[in-house]
Amino acid sequence: MSAIPPGAGPRSSCGSRRTGRSALVAALCAALAAALAGCGGEDPDAGTNGVGKLPAAKIQSKARAAAQRAGTVHLSGNVVSQGRTYKLDMSLAKDGAKGELTTKAAAFQLLRVGDALYLKADAAFWAGEKGGASGSSGGAATKLDGKYVKVPAADPVYKRFSGFTDKDTLLAGLLALHGSLTAGDRSDIGGVRTVRLTAGSGAGGTLDVSLEGTPYPLRLQRAGGAGVLRLDDWGKRVDLRAPAKGQVVDYGSKI
C-alpha cells in the first residue's frame, strides 16, 4: 500500500473549504448586486425611442416636426374657440379633410377636397347662419337640409370652418404650449407609452408625446381649459372624394 505523503490530507480539506467559501461569497455578491439594481428601479426609457431623455424644448420640437411630416392624422375631442365649444372628430390630410363638428346648437359634417369645401347640416343650422339662409325664406334652409353645400371661398362660412380642415394650420395652433416647459412624467395613451410636456406648471397646457416609434403628439390638454384632444392614426390613409353630384347644392355667393 502506497503511503500518503505527510500533510496531504489536511491541505486538501482546507483547500476545499476555501473554494466553497469563495463560491458562496461570489453567489451572495451577485444576488446583492441584482437586488440593489432592482431597488434602483428600471430605466423608464428602456426600449423607447429615447426622446424621454431629451430636454423639454427638444421633445416639443421633435413632436411638432413629426406632426408636420406626417401626411394624415385623426383628431378628436373638444376645442374652445372664440367663446364657442366645438366637439371635433376630424380626419386630416395634406390635401383636405373630412369629419364632424358639433356645437351646443348643431352638428354638421365638413368635407374639403383640395380647395373645395362642402358642409352638410340640417335646415336649423342654415336658418341660423348670418349671411346664410337666415336672410332667405324658410324654404331655402329646407332645401339645404341634409345636402352637401359647396361653400365659396369668399363666404364667411368658408372662412369660419375651413381652418378645421387645414391640417398644418390647425395643428400649429393647437400644439402651442404657453410658458416654461418641463418634462418627465410618464403616461400611457391607448397602450402607447408617453412622456408628458407641461407648460407653465400646467396652466399653459400639457402634451403627451409617444415614446414608441415616431415621437408623435398623442394627447393635448390646452391652456386655460380650452379643450382636450386625442391625436391618433398618424400616417393612415384618408379617403377624400367629392360627394356625388346629386348630393351637392352649389349656392355660390347666395349661401
Side-chain angles (χ1 to χ4, degrees):
M1 180 180 294
S2 58
I4 299 175
R11 281 198 301 269
S12 177
S13 175
C14 290
S16 296
R17 286 197 294 273
R18 284 196 297 270
T19 301
R21 285 197 298 270
S22 297
L24 179 60
V25 170
L28 289 173
C29 287
L32 180 61
L36 290 174
C39 292
E42 295 182 0
D43 181 358
D45 295 307
T48 72
N49 55 23
V51 298
K53 297 181 181 294
L54 301 176
K58 188 68 174 178
I59 298 173
Q60 182 187 38
S61 176
K62 283 186 170 293
R64 291 178 72 110
Q68 187 175 26
R69 287 194 302 268
T72 64
V73 64
H74 175 242
L75 190 65
S76 60
N78 300 300
V79 170
V80 179
S81 177
Q82 297 179 349
R84 298 189 182 190
T85 299
Y86 296 91
K87 182 179 178 181
L88 280 71
D89 188 357
M90 298 292 302
S91 293
L92 305 160
K94 294 285 188 182
D95 57 348
K98 66 178 182 179
E100 184 173 89
L101 264 66
T102 304
T103 68
K104 186 177 180 179
F108 49 94
Q109 295 179 38
L110 285 175
L111 171 64
R112 183 172 64 82
V113 182
D115 293 328
L117 177 68
Y118 303 88
L119 197 155
K120 184 178 182 180
D122 61 18
F125 171 85
W126 290 113
E129 278 299 310
K130 293 181 179 180
S134 59
S136 307
S137 66
T142 301
K143 189 174 182 179
L144 300 176
D145 183 29
K147 295 285 188 179
Y148 281 101
V149 176
K150 188 175 182 180
V151 185
D155 192 274
V157 174
Y158 190 104
K159 295 177 182 178
R160 184 168 152 197
F161 295 119
S162 61
F164 288 105
T165 69
D166 188 322
K167 172 185 170 289
D168 290 339
T169 300
L170 184 60
L171 291 183
L174 291 177
L175 295 179
L177 298 175
H178 307 282
S180 178
L181 287 176
T182 59
D185 290 345
R186 300 304 195 272
S187 187
D188 182 291
I189 305 296
V192 178
R193 288 178 293 173
T194 64
V195 59
R196 178 166 295 172
L197 297 177
T198 301
S201 299
T206 65
L207 182 67
D208 286 279
V209 178
S210 176
L211 284 172
E212 301 178 18
T214 304
Y216 289 124
L218 298 183
R219 182 182 182 274
L220 170 70
Q221 182 171 328
R222 302 184 71 208
V228 178
L229 293 164
R230 284 282 304 273
L231 304 95
D232 54 23
D233 291 345
W234 289 99
K236 290 189 177 181
R237 184 174 180 272
V238 177
D239 186 16
L240 296 174
R241 62 184 70 185
K245 290 184 178 180
Q247 290 295 311
V248 177
V249 177
D250 189 347
Y251 265 63
S253 60
K254 294 182 181 179
I255 295 178

